Amino acid sequence: MKTRITELLGIQYPVIQGGMAWVAEHHLAAAVSAAGGLGLIGGANAPGEVVREEIRKARELTDKPFGVNVMLMSPHADDVAKVVVEEGIKVVTTGAGNPEKYMDMWKEAGIKVIPVVASVALARRMERYGADAVVAEGCESGGHIGEQTTMTLVPQVADAVEIPVIAAGGIGDGRGIAAAFMLGAQAVQIGTRFVVSKESVVHENYKQRIIKAKDIDSAVTGRSHGHPVRCLRNQMTREYAKLEAEGKSFEELEYLTLGTLRRAVQEGDVAMGTVMAGQIAGLITKEQTCKEMIEEMMDQAKGLLGRN
Ligand code: TUI
């Protein structure tokens, strides 16, 4: 399927992988790219040199292009921003902030820059600063989220900018992809479904928690302090909600979640760890390879869109 995004990025399918912290490492990125989508290495809070190593390991697994997601709240964002240039990365997505200060450097290096936005205002601003596309990410997504739903954000961003729009948040099958196209998107970004792929290195407990999740199993922590994070309900989110209701400070609440994403992803502690996942977790029922996932979703989407 050809769209403005497949043409821009030189990929077979209009599917890009989310830049998920601790999850989007070289095996997953290489598998999504090898399957014809765009894989991404998630910089998250990692130091620049760790991201450089991940990039080099992904290159050993695939000769297809892949990108890097720069998480702008990271203390290492400046270093990661330079590493992507030094390593000749062709596509960068950004999250959790405004990437303006890096845009000139990236554009001069010929990098395609795709900021993730949660508002029309930031989408417009990114277009003015030379972004090649934007990801419009609704609050159905896992992790750090904005206020708008995908259903409301995507068409408003699509109307506001000329550059192509990639829809994200709540998309986990071909129906979601077809719907995103109807809303004006030229591609989708998918996170939660790829977490349970065969190539994903997350702990088996984490995968099973997503596979067993029901529609209502999602919770948002941190709303009261302006840092909303969507994850699956567990003992940690219940304790967090209790402390949040008691009016505890941002520092006290942050202490409860420090290092807990790694604990869930690597150690499999799905009770006190943070199991970041989107609201579509309830739809995801099985582990498959990234190739199987992408081909199944695209077949379904193409059927629905009448492009068979
Ligand atoms: O970035 C994400 N999702 C993330 S980042 C992350 S790492 C983290 N870990 C623990 C606590 C907090 C973060 C986990 N998930 N998605 C992209 C995204 N960006 N969603 C929303 C935004 C966003 C929000 C506000 C982008 C820009 C923005 O405002 C910037 C400005 O200055 O106007």
Side-chain angles (χ1 to χ4, degrees), residues 19-21 44-45 69 71-73 94-98 116-119 122 137-138 141-146 189 227-229 254 257 261 276:
M20 303 164 283
N45 280 317
N69 174 269
M71 209 281 279
L72 297 165
M73 290 191 315
T94 64
N98 178 337
V116 179
V117 303
S119 69
L122 191 60
E137 189 182 279
S141 294
H144 176 68
I145 53 171
Q189 177 191 274
H227 287 96
V229 170
E254 196 171 56
T257 57
L261 177 62
M276 287 188 194

Side-chain angles (χ1 to χ4, degrees), residues 103-121:
M103 296 277 269
D104 288 347
M105 173 175 71
W106 287 339
K107 298 301 300 175
E108 271 165 35
I111 295 175
K112 302 276 189 290
V113 183
I114 310 182
V116 179
V117 303
S119 69
V120 166

Side-chain angles (χ1 to χ4, degrees), residues 9 18 25 63 103 154 156 169 175 199 208 213-214 245 260 273 284:
L9 303 178
E25 50 69 76
D63 50 17
M103 296 277 269
V154 173
Q156 294 185 73
R175 292 172 297 183
E199 295 90 344
Q208 287 305 319
K214 296 193 295 290
T260 53
I284 295 165

